[in-house]
């Protein structure tokens, strides 16, 4: 049974709430017969609040019976590990086209005991935006992706459902000398990315995406829309690196655009073990965080020539972006890193937006229009983990590391240099605590093609992570929240205490974890917004223990 209430679709949610308040109890009681499922109750509530039943083809709500349910679910799912037949599926998918659809989804799922998983770009490494072990709904924000660039004000408002590619494209459309310091993959969603930090090729100069957020709009657990002023500085602090999924649904972000030169330079130099890669990488560890802020030089390490076992070797790919021309870059590298043997022919000058194409793995001959494509050309099964390095790994440690890497040719590592602006920002400025003292971050990854290989690759990456323990940060062994890793620990279904969650929470947030927990307790005291690694409530008992 569907309830129809005539409201103007453009009417604001609060006005709509007032108008219908007196009906809500009456109607929901009459619909909630003992036999009706949670699912039906939710639907009735949602229809009632949004008047959606008048618009059957609105493409907002997808039940398991909808012909496009599976394609919508898969549209943004990035990790095939969470798209198998046995993966739990949402009862419903909601793709809001108005903010009041989100308000209704929050209020109705809270009322009817369904968990809400919020998805912007669907790149969560552990699929937490579209998978849950308890009955749940996916709120997919892909339709809410408008971007307003204001070059005069050097700012932009961007909705959470936009992708990084769309944001970069829209900035470049307006100006060739502005950019934004965020991630390299064009299909990553703004929503999850900004709220977990977000780094990219110009973060050594400008910090993380979250460091450059100046306002935001969020819908809280009561369905209220708040901006920076009305949410207060504590919540505004928490959502810039603490993971929005614990606090509400972030609608949009106001960001500060940053200047980029009209000409930037990229280079890529690859060396195998036989060509001295170990020594080069050792040297890189001693200088990568000390380069000027205009230079980003990361190292991607993988196995090549996997088809011919006898020739399998490790290759280190040194990949760089320099905010300036080649004539300035060459002396800089040849003075500090002459061993690399960089020459003019290795370097290419281009506009900043072309460098975005390059780091997103497109040919720089392509039109920037490809950045508007929200679909990854191919998706795979994958597992990733992260670490922070404070002292260079000795040559002997690297030699052993190569042996483990050679055991799985589908595995690779990315060493991302820190320093410069990242060291100038205090550990507590935002929840993201990995600042001064880190030479670089490691991402370990392995990807594969079929479910039957999953066990083998996951046990390999865990072995690699165990091996690395002596060489990486300690107490806690830190990790990057945007490289979500459930091996670090997970909340129990129901409520997890602060102490239990500290096992994983301190790794992501260090000393900021407690403040996050206090903000969570104040903002969402019923712990409605939760997942396997959401911020726990800070209980009275813990306060008494002096935590
Ligand atoms: P998704 O939609 O899966 O959301 C991730 C988490 O945020 C989920 O818990 C979700 O519920 C929550 N969330 C999403 N939108 C929300 C909203 N509006 N309000 C509240 N909560 C919300 N990182 C990086 O720093 N630099 C990089 O270059 C890259 N590159 C990269 C490439 C590829 C191929 C992948 C798969 C991932 C990356 N990442 C990355 C990691 C990426 O930043 C991280 O996975 C982000 O959380 C992805 O954000 P999405 O919105 O796409 O994910």
């Amino acid at each position: 049974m569907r309830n129809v209430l005539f409201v103007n679709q453009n009417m604001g949610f609060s006005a709509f709430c007032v108008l219908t308040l007196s009906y809500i109890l009456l109607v929901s009681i009459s619909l909630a017969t003992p036999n009706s499922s949670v699912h039906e109750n939710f639907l009735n509530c949602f229809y009632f609040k949004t008047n959606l039943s008048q618009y059957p083809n609105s493409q907002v709500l997808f039940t398991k019976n909808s012909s496009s349910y599976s394609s919508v679910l898969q549209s943004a799912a990035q990790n095939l590990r969470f798209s198998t037949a046995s993966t739990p599926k949402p009862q419903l998918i909601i793709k809001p086209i108005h903010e009041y659809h989100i308000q209704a989804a929050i209020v109705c799922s809270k009322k009817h005991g369904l968990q809400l998983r919020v998805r912007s770009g669907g790149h969560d490494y552990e699929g937490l935006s579209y998978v849950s072990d308890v009955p749940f709904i996916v709120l997919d924000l892909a339709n809410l992706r408008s971007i307003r660039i204001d070059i005069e004000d050097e700012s932009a408002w961007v909705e959470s459902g936009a992708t990084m590619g769309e944001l970069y494209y829209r900035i470049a459309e307006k100006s060739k000398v502005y950019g934004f310091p965020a991630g390299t993959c064009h299909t990553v969603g703004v929503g999850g990315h900004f709220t977990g930090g977000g780094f990219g090729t110009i973060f050594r100069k400008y910090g993380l995406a979250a460091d450059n957020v100046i306002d935001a709009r969020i819908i809280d657990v009561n369905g209220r829309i708040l901006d920076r002023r009305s949410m207060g500085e504590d919540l505004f602090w928490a959502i810039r690196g603490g993971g929005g999924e614990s606090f509400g649904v972030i609608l949009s972000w106001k960001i500060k655009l940053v200047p980029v030169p009209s000409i930037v330079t990229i280079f890529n130099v690859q060396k195998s073990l036989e060509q001295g890669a170990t020594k080069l990488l050792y040297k890189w560890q001693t200088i990568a965080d000390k380069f000027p802020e205009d230079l980003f030089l990361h190292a991607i390490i993988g196995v090549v020539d996997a088809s011919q076992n006898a020739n399998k070797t490790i290759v280190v790919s040194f990949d760089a972006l320099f905010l300036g021309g080649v004539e300035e870059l060459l002396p800089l590298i040849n003075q500090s890193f002459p061993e690399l043997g960089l020459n003019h022919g290795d370097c290419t000058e281009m506009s900043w937006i072309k460098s975005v194409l390059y780091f997103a793995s497109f040919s720089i001959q392509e039109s920037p229009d490809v950045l508007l494509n929200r679909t990854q050309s191919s998706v795979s099964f994958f597992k990733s983990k992260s670490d922070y390095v404070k002292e260079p790994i000795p040559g002997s440690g690297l030699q052993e590391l190569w042996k483990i890497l050679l055991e799985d040719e589908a595995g690779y590592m990315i060493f991302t240099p820190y320093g410069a602006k990242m060291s100038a920002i205090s550990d507590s400025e935002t929840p993201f605590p990995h600042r001064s003292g880190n030479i670089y971050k490691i991402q370990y990854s392995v990807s594969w093609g079929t479910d039957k290989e999953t066990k083998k690759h996951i046990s390999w990456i865990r072995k690699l992570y165990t091996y690395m323990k002596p060489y990486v940060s300690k107490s806690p062994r830190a990790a990057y929240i945007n490289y979500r890793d459930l091996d670090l620990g997970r909340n129990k279904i129901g409520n997890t205490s602060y102490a239990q969650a500290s096992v994983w929470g301190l790794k992501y947030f260090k000393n900021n974890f407690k403040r996050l927990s206090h903000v969570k307790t104040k903002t969402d005291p019923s712990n409605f917004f939760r997942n396997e690694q959401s911020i726990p409530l800070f209980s009275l008992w813990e306060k008494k223990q002096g935590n």
Side-chain angles (χ1 to χ4, degrees), residues 118-125 129 141 160 183-185 189 191-193 198-199 244-245 248 250 480 482 484 531:
V118 185
R119 183 165 81 174
S120 287
H123 284 59
D124 191 278
Y125 280 9
S129 56
L141 302 181
S160 283
T184 51
C185 173
H193 188 59
F199 79 93
E245 64 271 16
I250 302 158
Y480 177 34
N482 261 351
R484 174 118 42 214
N531 66 25

PDB file of all heavy atoms in Angstrom, residues 118-125 129 141 160 183-185 189 191-193 198-199 244-245 248 250 480 482 484 531, ligand 1:
ATOM      1  N   VAL A 118      26.055   5.700   2.985  1.00  0.00           N
ATOM      2  CA  VAL A 118      26.112   6.863   2.094  1.00  0.00           C
ATOM      3  C   VAL A 118      27.219   6.648   1.075  1.00  0.00           C
ATOM      4  O   VAL A 118      28.354   6.328   1.439  1.00  0.00           O
ATOM      5  CB  VAL A 118      26.401   8.151   2.898  1.00  0.00           C
ATOM      6  CG1 VAL A 118      26.346   9.364   1.976  1.00  0.00           C
ATOM      7  CG2 VAL A 118      25.407   8.294   4.036  1.00  0.00           C
ATOM      8  N   ARG A 119      26.883   6.819  -0.193  1.00  0.00           N
ATOM      9  CA  ARG A 119      27.878   6.599  -1.240  1.00  0.00           C
ATOM     10  C   ARG A 119      27.993   7.834  -2.125  1.00  0.00           C
ATOM     11  O   ARG A 119      26.999   8.331  -2.645  1.00  0.00           O
ATOM     12  CB  ARG A 119      27.461   5.384  -2.082  1.00  0.00           C
ATOM     13  CG  ARG A 119      28.464   5.027  -3.157  1.00  0.00           C
ATOM     14  CD  ARG A 119      28.213   3.659  -3.715  1.00  0.00           C
ATOM     15  NE  ARG A 119      27.159   3.627  -4.705  1.00  0.00           N
ATOM     16  CZ  ARG A 119      26.826   2.558  -5.423  1.00  0.00           C
ATOM     17  NH1 ARG A 119      27.451   1.407  -5.225  1.00  0.00           N
ATOM     18  NH2 ARG A 119      25.864   2.609  -6.310  1.00  0.00           N
ATOM     19  N   SER A 120      29.227   8.323  -2.263  1.00  0.00           N
ATOM     20  CA  SER A 120      29.446   9.434  -3.204  1.00  0.00           C
ATOM     21  C   SER A 120      30.064   8.879  -4.478  1.00  0.00           C
ATOM     22  O   SER A 120      29.437   8.834  -5.522  1.00  0.00           O
ATOM     23  CB  SER A 120      30.342  10.494  -2.568  1.00  0.00           C
ATOM     24  OG  SER A 120      29.615  11.199  -1.585  1.00  0.00           O
ATOM     25  N   GLY A 121      31.331   8.414  -4.376  1.00  0.00           N
ATOM     26  CA  GLY A 121      31.976   7.852  -5.563  1.00  0.00           C
ATOM     27  C   GLY A 121      32.158   6.343  -5.487  1.00  0.00           C
ATOM     28  O   GLY A 121      32.604   5.718  -6.453  1.00  0.00           O
ATOM     29  N   GLY A 122      31.866   5.731  -4.337  1.00  0.00           N
ATOM     30  CA  GLY A 122      31.922   4.271  -4.200  1.00  0.00           C
ATOM     31  C   GLY A 122      33.317   3.677  -4.170  1.00  0.00           C
ATOM     32  O   GLY A 122      33.494   2.473  -4.362  1.00  0.00           O
ATOM     33  N   HIS A 123      34.351   4.501  -3.875  1.00  0.00           N
ATOM     34  CA  HIS A 123      35.724   3.985  -3.914  1.00  0.00           C
ATOM     35  C   HIS A 123      36.226   3.437  -2.588  1.00  0.00           C
ATOM     36  O   HIS A 123      37.404   3.107  -2.468  1.00  0.00           O
ATOM     37  CB  HIS A 123      36.684   5.077  -4.404  1.00  0.00           C
ATOM     38  CG  HIS A 123      36.601   5.307  -5.881  1.00  0.00           C
ATOM     39  ND1 HIS A 123      35.444   5.675  -6.505  1.00  0.00           N
ATOM     40  CD2 HIS A 123      37.532   5.203  -6.868  1.00  0.00           C
ATOM     41  CE1 HIS A 123      35.653   5.791  -7.801  1.00  0.00           C
ATOM     42  NE2 HIS A 123      36.916   5.500  -8.056  1.00  0.00           N
ATOM     43  N   ASP A 124      35.370   3.374  -1.596  1.00  0.00           N
ATOM     44  CA  ASP A 124      35.816   2.857  -0.309  1.00  0.00           C
ATOM     45  C   ASP A 124      36.494   1.496  -0.503  1.00  0.00           C
ATOM     46  O   ASP A 124      35.919   0.603  -1.130  1.00  0.00           O
ATOM     47  CB  ASP A 124      34.619   2.699   0.640  1.00  0.00           C
ATOM     48  CG  ASP A 124      35.062   2.414   2.057  1.00  0.00           C
ATOM     49  OD1 ASP A 124      35.350   1.224   2.361  1.00  0.00           O
ATOM     50  OD2 ASP A 124      35.146   3.363   2.847  1.00  0.00           O
ATOM     51  N   TYR A 125      37.719   1.364   0.030  1.00  0.00           N
ATOM     52  CA  TYR A 125      38.501   0.142  -0.209  1.00  0.00           C
ATOM     53  C   TYR A 125      37.826  -1.111   0.338  1.00  0.00           C
ATOM     54  O   TYR A 125      38.096  -2.217  -0.113  1.00  0.00           O
ATOM     55  CB  TYR A 125      39.892   0.285   0.428  1.00  0.00           C
ATOM     56  CG  TYR A 125      40.883   1.097  -0.377  1.00  0.00           C
ATOM     57  CD1 TYR A 125      40.517   1.809  -1.498  1.00  0.00           C
ATOM     58  CD2 TYR A 125      42.226   1.135   0.012  1.00  0.00           C
ATOM     59  CE1 TYR A 125      41.431   2.547  -2.224  1.00  0.00           C
ATOM     60  CE2 TYR A 125      43.160   1.867  -0.711  1.00  0.00           C
ATOM     61  CZ  TYR A 125      42.762   2.578  -1.825  1.00  0.00           C
ATOM     62  OH  TYR A 125      43.681   3.299  -2.542  1.00  0.00           O
ATOM     63  N   SER A 129      30.532   1.824   1.713  1.00  0.00           N
ATOM     64  CA  SER A 129      29.455   2.711   1.266  1.00  0.00           C
ATOM     65  C   SER A 129      28.340   1.944   0.546  1.00  0.00           C
ATOM     66  O   SER A 129      27.312   2.531   0.210  1.00  0.00           O
ATOM     67  CB  SER A 129      30.011   3.794   0.342  1.00  0.00           C
ATOM     68  OG  SER A 129      30.700   3.217  -0.746  1.00  0.00           O
ATOM     69  N   LEU A 141      24.689   9.397  -3.905  1.00  0.00           N
ATOM     70  CA  LEU A 141      24.590  10.839  -4.146  1.00  0.00           C
ATOM     71  C   LEU A 141      24.974  11.265  -5.565  1.00  0.00           C
ATOM     72  O   LEU A 141      25.175  12.449  -5.826  1.00  0.00           O
ATOM     73  CB  LEU A 141      25.472  11.583  -3.132  1.00  0.00           C
ATOM     74  CG  LEU A 141      25.150  11.327  -1.650  1.00  0.00           C
ATOM     75  CD1 LEU A 141      26.074  12.146  -0.752  1.00  0.00           C
ATOM     76  CD2 LEU A 141      23.698  11.680  -1.344  1.00  0.00           C
ATOM     77  N   SER A 160      28.750  16.735  -2.965  1.00  0.00           N
ATOM     78  CA  SER A 160      29.487  15.504  -2.634  1.00  0.00           C
ATOM     79  C   SER A 160      29.447  14.442  -3.718  1.00  0.00           C
ATOM     80  O   SER A 160      30.358  13.621  -3.832  1.00  0.00           O
ATOM     81  CB  SER A 160      28.949  14.900  -1.333  1.00  0.00           C
ATOM     82  OG  SER A 160      29.432  15.634  -0.240  1.00  0.00           O
ATOM     83  N   GLY A 183      43.011  14.098  -4.917  1.00  0.00           N
ATOM     84  CA  GLY A 183      43.514  12.841  -5.465  1.00  0.00           C
ATOM     85  C   GLY A 183      43.619  12.771  -6.984  1.00  0.00           C
ATOM     86  O   GLY A 183      43.074  13.612  -7.704  1.00  0.00           O
ATOM     87  N   THR A 184      44.316  11.750  -7.432  1.00  0.00           N
ATOM     88  CA  THR A 184      44.640  11.636  -8.849  1.00  0.00           C
ATOM     89  C   THR A 184      43.606  10.847  -9.663  1.00  0.00           C
ATOM     90  O   THR A 184      43.534  11.016 -10.875  1.00  0.00           O
ATOM     91  CB  THR A 184      46.008  10.940  -9.031  1.00  0.00           C
ATOM     92  OG1 THR A 184      45.990   9.737  -8.271  1.00  0.00           O
ATOM     93  CG2 THR A 184      47.140  11.820  -8.566  1.00  0.00           C
ATOM     94  N   CYS A 185      42.844   9.992  -8.995  1.00  0.00           N
ATOM     95  CA  CYS A 185      41.905   9.144  -9.762  1.00  0.00           C
ATOM     96  C   CYS A 185      40.640   9.948 -10.063  1.00  0.00           C
ATOM     97  O   CYS A 185      39.974  10.428  -9.143  1.00  0.00           O
ATOM     98  CB  CYS A 185      41.575   7.899  -8.954  1.00  0.00           C
ATOM     99  SG  CYS A 185      40.290   6.920  -9.699  1.00  0.00           S
ATOM    100  N   GLY A 189      34.965   9.924  -5.596  1.00  0.00           N
ATOM    101  CA  GLY A 189      33.914  10.868  -5.231  1.00  0.00           C
ATOM    102  C   GLY A 189      34.420  11.936  -4.272  1.00  0.00           C
ATOM    103  O   GLY A 189      35.193  11.643  -3.355  1.00  0.00           O
ATOM    104  N   GLY A 191      32.701  13.353  -1.969  1.00  0.00           N
ATOM    105  CA  GLY A 191      32.151  13.151  -0.620  1.00  0.00           C
ATOM    106  C   GLY A 191      33.059  12.348   0.293  1.00  0.00           C
ATOM    107  O   GLY A 191      33.480  12.823   1.348  1.00  0.00           O
ATOM    108  N   GLY A 192      33.400  11.139  -0.111  1.00  0.00           N
ATOM    109  CA  GLY A 192      34.250  10.292   0.729  1.00  0.00           C
ATOM    110  C   GLY A 192      35.680  10.800   0.778  1.00  0.00           C
ATOM    111  O   GLY A 192      36.339  10.760   1.820  1.00  0.00           O
ATOM    112  N   HIS A 193      36.143  11.315  -0.348  1.00  0.00           N
ATOM    113  CA  HIS A 193      37.545  11.731  -0.482  1.00  0.00           C
ATOM    114  C   HIS A 193      37.882  12.900   0.451  1.00  0.00           C
ATOM    115  O   HIS A 193      38.832  12.823   1.239  1.00  0.00           O
ATOM    116  CB  HIS A 193      37.775  12.125  -1.941  1.00  0.00           C
ATOM    117  CG  HIS A 193      39.194  12.395  -2.313  1.00  0.00           C
ATOM    118  ND1 HIS A 193      40.201  11.466  -2.182  1.00  0.00           N
ATOM    119  CD2 HIS A 193      39.787  13.503  -2.832  1.00  0.00           C
ATOM    120  CE1 HIS A 193      41.338  11.996  -2.609  1.00  0.00           C
ATOM    121  NE2 HIS A 193      41.112  13.236  -2.994  1.00  0.00           N
ATOM    122  N   GLY A 198      42.310  13.296   1.599  1.00  0.00           N
ATOM    123  CA  GLY A 198      42.434  13.526   0.162  1.00  0.00           C
ATOM    124  C   GLY A 198      43.748  14.173  -0.243  1.00  0.00           C
ATOM    125  O   GLY A 198      43.911  15.372  -0.129  1.00  0.00           O
ATOM    126  N   PHE A 199      44.680  13.357  -0.722  1.00  0.00           N
ATOM    127  CA  PHE A 199      45.962  13.928  -1.168  1.00  0.00           C
ATOM    128  C   PHE A 199      46.139  13.676  -2.661  1.00  0.00           C
ATOM    129  O   PHE A 199      45.575  12.741  -3.230  1.00  0.00           O
ATOM    130  CB  PHE A 199      47.146  13.293  -0.398  1.00  0.00           C
ATOM    131  CG  PHE A 199      47.505  11.934  -0.943  1.00  0.00           C
ATOM    132  CD1 PHE A 199      48.483  11.793  -1.924  1.00  0.00           C
ATOM    133  CD2 PHE A 199      46.836  10.810  -0.534  1.00  0.00           C
ATOM    134  CE1 PHE A 199      48.780  10.548  -2.478  1.00  0.00           C
ATOM    135  CE2 PHE A 199      47.121   9.557  -1.073  1.00  0.00           C
ATOM    136  CZ  PHE A 199      48.098   9.431  -2.047  1.00  0.00           C
ATOM    137  N   GLY A 244      33.043  11.375   7.197  1.00  0.00           N
ATOM    138  CA  GLY A 244      31.697  11.937   7.354  1.00  0.00           C
ATOM    139  C   GLY A 244      30.662  10.911   7.763  1.00  0.00           C
ATOM    140  O   GLY A 244      29.656  11.244   8.391  1.00  0.00           O
ATOM    141  N   GLU A 245      30.908   9.628   7.424  1.00  0.00           N
ATOM    142  CA  GLU A 245      29.898   8.605   7.674  1.00  0.00           C
ATOM    143  C   GLU A 245      29.517   8.472   9.145  1.00  0.00           C
ATOM    144  O   GLU A 245      28.509   7.872   9.477  1.00  0.00           O
ATOM    145  CB  GLU A 245      30.355   7.254   7.113  1.00  0.00           C
ATOM    146  CG  GLU A 245      31.596   6.655   7.766  1.00  0.00           C
ATOM    147  CD  GLU A 245      32.907   7.091   7.114  1.00  0.00           C
ATOM    148  OE1 GLU A 245      32.884   8.097   6.357  1.00  0.00           O
ATOM    149  OE2 GLU A 245      33.931   6.452   7.365  1.00  0.00           O
ATOM    150  N   GLY A 248      26.917  12.412   9.671  1.00  0.00           N
ATOM    151  CA  GLY A 248      25.760  12.876   8.910  1.00  0.00           C
ATOM    152  C   GLY A 248      25.990  12.653   7.428  1.00  0.00           C
ATOM    153  O   GLY A 248      26.873  11.883   7.032  1.00  0.00           O
ATOM    154  N   ILE A 250      27.080  14.638   4.223  1.00  0.00           N
ATOM    155  CA  ILE A 250      27.639  15.919   3.787  1.00  0.00           C
ATOM    156  C   ILE A 250      27.133  16.197   2.377  1.00  0.00           C
ATOM    157  O   ILE A 250      27.342  15.400   1.457  1.00  0.00           O
ATOM    158  CB  ILE A 250      29.176  15.896   3.841  1.00  0.00           C
ATOM    159  CG1 ILE A 250      29.617  15.575   5.270  1.00  0.00           C
ATOM    160  CG2 ILE A 250      29.738  17.250   3.395  1.00  0.00           C
ATOM    161  CD1 ILE A 250      31.006  15.025   5.387  1.00  0.00           C
ATOM    162  N   TYR A 480      46.194   5.356   6.908  1.00  0.00           N
ATOM    163  CA  TYR A 480      45.431   6.444   6.273  1.00  0.00           C
ATOM    164  C   TYR A 480      43.971   6.014   6.142  1.00  0.00           C
ATOM    165  O   TYR A 480      43.685   5.012   5.483  1.00  0.00           O
ATOM    166  CB  TYR A 480      46.064   6.738   4.906  1.00  0.00           C
ATOM    167  CG  TYR A 480      45.370   7.777   4.056  1.00  0.00           C
ATOM    168  CD1 TYR A 480      44.727   8.882   4.617  1.00  0.00           C
ATOM    169  CD2 TYR A 480      45.384   7.670   2.671  1.00  0.00           C
ATOM    170  CE1 TYR A 480      44.109   9.834   3.811  1.00  0.00           C
ATOM    171  CE2 TYR A 480      44.775   8.623   1.854  1.00  0.00           C
ATOM    172  CZ  TYR A 480      44.132   9.700   2.442  1.00  0.00           C
ATOM    173  OH  TYR A 480      43.527  10.640   1.648  1.00  0.00           O
ATOM    174  N   ASN A 482      41.556   7.032   4.369  1.00  0.00           N
ATOM    175  CA  ASN A 482      41.017   6.881   3.013  1.00  0.00           C
ATOM    176  C   ASN A 482      41.502   5.600   2.334  1.00  0.00           C
ATOM    177  O   ASN A 482      41.011   5.248   1.260  1.00  0.00           O
ATOM    178  CB  ASN A 482      41.373   8.100   2.149  1.00  0.00           C
ATOM    179  CG  ASN A 482      40.223   9.087   2.064  1.00  0.00           C
ATOM    180  OD1 ASN A 482      39.119   8.792   2.501  1.00  0.00           O
ATOM    181  ND2 ASN A 482      40.481  10.254   1.513  1.00  0.00           N
ATOM    182  N   ARG A 484      41.004   2.606   3.616  1.00  0.00           N
ATOM    183  CA  ARG A 484      40.317   1.831   4.653  1.00  0.00           C
ATOM    184  C   ARG A 484      40.798   0.387   4.656  1.00  0.00           C
ATOM    185  O   ARG A 484      40.918  -0.251   3.610  1.00  0.00           O
ATOM    186  CB  ARG A 484      38.830   1.838   4.376  1.00  0.00           C
ATOM    187  CG  ARG A 484      38.080   0.941   5.313  1.00  0.00           C
ATOM    188  CD  ARG A 484      37.103   1.574   6.163  1.00  0.00           C
ATOM    189  NE  ARG A 484      36.319   2.572   5.504  1.00  0.00           N
ATOM    190  CZ  ARG A 484      35.885   3.662   6.129  1.00  0.00           C
ATOM    191  NH1 ARG A 484      36.186   3.857   7.401  1.00  0.00           N
ATOM    192  NH2 ARG A 484      35.128   4.538   5.488  1.00  0.00           N
ATOM    193  N   ASN A 531      29.234   2.512  10.820  1.00  0.00           N
ATOM    194  CA  ASN A 531      29.670   1.385  10.002  1.00  0.00           C
ATOM    195  C   ASN A 531      30.767   0.642  10.762  1.00  0.00           C
ATOM    196  O   ASN A 531      30.982   0.899  11.955  1.00  0.00           O
ATOM    197  CB  ASN A 531      30.092   1.843   8.584  1.00  0.00           C
ATOM    198  CG  ASN A 531      31.337   2.722   8.591  1.00  0.00           C
ATOM    199  OD1 ASN A 531      32.171   2.656   9.507  1.00  0.00           O
ATOM    200  ND2 ASN A 531      31.488   3.552   7.575  1.00  0.00           N
TER     201      ASN A 531
HETATM  202  P1  LIG B   1      32.586   6.140  -1.093  1.00  0.00           P
HETATM  203  O1  LIG B   1      31.360   6.659  -1.710  1.00  0.00           O
HETATM  204  O2  LIG B   1      32.792   4.660  -1.119  1.00  0.00           O
HETATM  205  O3  LIG B   1      32.695   6.698   0.382  1.00  0.00           O
HETATM  206  C1  LIG B   1      33.775   6.401   1.239  1.00  0.00           C
HETATM  207  C2  LIG B   1      33.323   6.577   2.697  1.00  0.00           C
HETATM  208  O4  LIG B   1      32.856   7.912   2.910  1.00  0.00           O
HETATM  209  C3  LIG B   1      32.169   5.659   3.069  1.00  0.00           C
HETATM  210  O5  LIG B   1      32.255   5.313   4.423  1.00  0.00           O
HETATM  211  C4  LIG B   1      30.963   6.539   2.851  1.00  0.00           C
HETATM  212  O6  LIG B   1      29.822   6.150   3.595  1.00  0.00           O
HETATM  213  C5  LIG B   1      31.477   7.904   3.282  1.00  0.00           C
HETATM  214  N1  LIG B   1      30.821   8.981   2.548  1.00  0.00           N
HETATM  215  C6  LIG B   1      30.821   9.138   1.201  1.00  0.00           C
HETATM  216  N2  LIG B   1      30.144  10.245   0.887  1.00  0.00           N
HETATM  217  C7  LIG B   1      29.707  10.800   2.030  1.00  0.00           C
HETATM  218  C8  LIG B   1      28.948  11.948   2.335  1.00  0.00           C
HETATM  219  N3  LIG B   1      28.504  12.756   1.379  1.00  0.00           N
HETATM  220  N4  LIG B   1      28.645  12.220   3.630  1.00  0.00           N
HETATM  221  C9  LIG B   1      29.088  11.397   4.607  1.00  0.00           C
HETATM  222  N5  LIG B   1      29.822  10.297   4.386  1.00  0.00           N
HETATM  223  C10 LIG B   1      30.135   9.997   3.103  1.00  0.00           C
HETATM  224  N6  LIG B   1      42.798   8.782  -1.974  1.00  0.00           N
HETATM  225  C11 LIG B   1      43.639   9.854  -1.960  1.00  0.00           C
HETATM  226  O7  LIG B   1      43.762  10.540  -0.943  1.00  0.00           O
HETATM  227  N7  LIG B   1      44.346  10.163  -3.088  1.00  0.00           N
HETATM  228  C12 LIG B   1      44.236   9.452  -4.241  1.00  0.00           C
HETATM  229  O8  LIG B   1      44.882   9.771  -5.233  1.00  0.00           O
HETATM  230  C13 LIG B   1      43.349   8.339  -4.254  1.00  0.00           C
HETATM  231  N8  LIG B   1      43.208   7.572  -5.384  1.00  0.00           N
HETATM  232  C14 LIG B   1      42.326   6.504  -5.384  1.00  0.00           C
HETATM  233  C15 LIG B   1      42.173   5.718  -6.534  1.00  0.00           C
HETATM  234  C16 LIG B   1      41.301   4.634  -6.535  1.00  0.00           C
HETATM  235  C17 LIG B   1      41.152   3.817  -7.780  1.00  0.00           C
HETATM  236  C18 LIG B   1      40.576   4.319  -5.371  1.00  0.00           C
HETATM  237  C19 LIG B   1      39.651   3.128  -5.354  1.00  0.00           C
HETATM  238  C20 LIG B   1      40.721   5.097  -4.232  1.00  0.00           C
HETATM  239  C21 LIG B   1      41.597   6.182  -4.219  1.00  0.00           C
HETATM  240  N9  LIG B   1      41.766   6.965  -3.077  1.00  0.00           N
HETATM  241  C22 LIG B   1      42.632   8.034  -3.088  1.00  0.00           C
HETATM  242  C23 LIG B   1      41.025   6.653  -1.852  1.00  0.00           C
HETATM  243  C24 LIG B   1      39.770   7.517  -1.765  1.00  0.00           C
HETATM  244  O9  LIG B   1      40.122   8.825  -1.370  1.00  0.00           O
HETATM  245  C25 LIG B   1      38.816   6.939  -0.718  1.00  0.00           C
HETATM  246  O10 LIG B   1      38.460   5.639  -1.052  1.00  0.00           O
HETATM  247  C26 LIG B   1      37.567   7.812  -0.585  1.00  0.00           C
HETATM  248  O11 LIG B   1      36.927   7.526   0.615  1.00  0.00           O
HETATM  249  C27 LIG B   1      36.637   7.603  -1.740  1.00  0.00           C
HETATM  250  O12 LIG B   1      35.563   8.471  -1.718  1.00  0.00           O
HETATM  251  P2  LIG B   1      34.248   8.056  -2.522  1.00  0.00           P
HETATM  252  O13 LIG B   1      33.230   9.107  -2.303  1.00  0.00           O
HETATM  253  O14 LIG B   1      34.605   7.691  -3.911  1.00  0.00           O
HETATM  254  O15 LIG B   1      33.883   6.702  -1.793  1.00  0.00           O
END
